[in-house]
Amino acid sequence: MMKRRTLLLLPLSLSVTACVGQRQQPFEVTSPVRGPSAAALAMYDEKPDEQFPLPATDIEEVDPQFLRQEVAYPTREQPGTIVVDTNKRFLYLVRENGRAIRYGIGVGKQGMSWRGRATVARKAAWPRWTPTPAMVARDPEKNGPWASGMPAGLENPLGARALYLYQGNRDTLYRIHGTSEPWSIGKAVSSGCIRLFNQDIIDLHSRVPTGTPVVVLNRAPLLKPAPGETFDEFVSEGASEPEFFEG
């Protein structure tokens, strides 16, 4: 009888020993790799048919909120209006039914020193820029070679397009333009107006005609030049008076 009981317990004992005796193997839980969507990558892809073939913009490290997208944007502004929110680093192109196309922007000192309403009086594709005499005197090695103007191109700080804002016949010296420094989008930068990714300023430039109304919102105290500082860092070709740094 005892022998039978022993035989009955033996499988259970082996089973328990086997279960306890097996060591758990460590394993790594990996998070899914996330990155820009295929649609976003397509928006910022190369543009080989441009006057200066534009390479793709690397958006791998860009906060997705600053990529071009359509969003809900209830506003009293009429469709077709550009609204620049300098504090949030967004530019909106108002559409119908409470919607807007939103672009991420970088804002320079000039951008933080003005608010109000204006009109797109002039548009330029691949604009030139020219340093002011003060800028050449301050850094002749860097800026002296461009005293007569830097040709348009991939290294030009104005980027691929520029929109020039006026109030009536008066130049506000305020610009919306592309940039050769895409890392600056979403940030406050040392100088300049309102800059967009080159692919975004090309898109915006294609959507708005001259005469487009522009509203610049600035909820922070407006900046003023420090002693010895000036915001009129650059002039654009054909300008009748100095314009602020736009790159």
Side-chain angles (χ1 to χ4, degrees), residues 184-213:
S184 65
I185 300 302
K187 300 177 182 179
V189 290
S190 61
S191 54
C193 292
I194 298 300
R195 58 179 72 180
L196 288 74
F197 290 118
N198 274 323
Q199 284 86 347
D200 282 350
I201 191 62
I202 290 172
D203 181 80
L204 179 64
H205 182 276
S206 72
R207 293 177 185 271
V208 299
T210 55
T212 293

Side-chain angles (χ1 to χ4, degrees), residues 135-146:
M135 193 173 184
V136 173
R138 186 166 60 247
D139 194 343
E141 182 176 352
K142 178 181 178 181
N143 302 313
W146 312 117

Side-chain angles (χ1 to χ4, degrees), residues 33-215:
V33 176
R34 297 184 181 276
S37 66
L41 291 172
M43 281 193 300
Y44 296 96
D45 201 359
E46 62 182 352
K47 289 186 172 292
D49 296 332
E50 280 289 314
Q51 177 184 351
F52 300 93
L54 189 66
T57 295
D58 184 1
I59 59 172
E60 291 289 340
E61 303 299 325
V62 176
D63 188 327
Q65 70 174 320
F66 295 117
L67 301 178
R68 188 194 329 156
Q69 55 197 283
E70 184 172 313
V71 298
Y73 190 65
T75 177
R76 294 181 180 179
E77 303 298 337
Q78 293 298 310
T81 302
I82 292 174
V83 179
V84 180
D85 190 328
T86 59
N87 296 86
K88 293 184 177 180
R89 313 288 192 263
F90 292 134
L91 181 151
Y92 299 89
L93 178 58
V94 179
R95 307 190 82 176
E96 295 80 6
N97 303 316
R99 307 289 292 176
I101 300 175
R102 190 179 74 189
Y103 306 83
I105 60 175
V107 184
K109 283 189 176 181
Q110 184 192 347
M112 298 304 295
S113 65
W114 189 80
R115 67 168 68 98
R117 291 181 177 269
T119 301
V120 176
R122 186 163 71 90
K123 300 166 53 177
W126 294 102
R128 293 169 56 95
W129 64 255
T130 305
T132 63
M135 193 173 184
V136 173
R138 186 166 60 247
D139 194 343
E141 182 176 352
K142 178 181 178 181
N143 302 313
W146 312 117
S148 298
M150 182 179 182
L154 297 178
E155 300 302 318
N156 189 301
L158 295 184
R161 303 286 191 277
L163 306 178
Y164 299 80
L165 308 189
Y166 282 64
Q167 291 178 320
N169 294 325
R170 184 178 66 84
D171 189 348
T172 66
L173 308 181
Y174 202 93
R175 309 290 180 255
I176 300 171
H177 59 90
T179 181
S180 58
E181 300 173 334
W183 53 265
S184 65
I185 300 302
K187 300 177 182 179
V189 290
S190 61
S191 54
C193 292
I194 298 300
R195 58 179 72 180
L196 288 74
F197 290 118
N198 274 323
Q199 284 86 347
D200 282 350
I201 191 62
I202 290 172
D203 181 80
L204 179 64
H205 182 276
S206 72
R207 293 177 185 271
V208 299
T210 55
T212 293
V214 179
V215 181

